[in-house]
Amino acid sequence: MLIQVATQVFPFFEIPNWAVRLAQLKARRERGCVDPYWFALVHLGLGDSAQAIAALGQSYAEGSGDDLTNIRVEQLFEPLRGDPRFQALAEKIVPAREFAQTARESK
């Protein structure tokens, strides 16, 4: 599922090997700006939740993660939902009370 969704938004994810993807992202980051958000997706693909959460935190800290506003509902992050570190990060980005209010207003 992760691969299917990711390839739709970023063709780079068509590369069949997650480790190769990670190496290429690191090289791109050295040459210019690559949002750590993309590292999070690769780390998820590698099954490394800790690194995925760290990359999401870095994206938030750099202010580069426009995609993070959907952190509480983005299905790509489903494997992280039970992790207290992810929950703490989600709370920083979109506090639960704001999320609940927005959800009620959109109904």
Side-chain angles (χ1 to χ4, degrees), residues 90-102:
E91 184 64 22
K92 280 185 194 177
I93 297 168
V94 182
R97 66 181 179 279
E98 289 179 25
F99 178 73
Q101 181 180 355
T102 303

Side-chain angles (χ1 to χ4, degrees), residues 50-68:
Q51 287 297 317
I53 293 167
L56 290 171
Q58 184 179 1
S59 183
Y60 173 69
E62 292 179 4
S64 58
D66 291 337
D67 294 324
L68 292 178

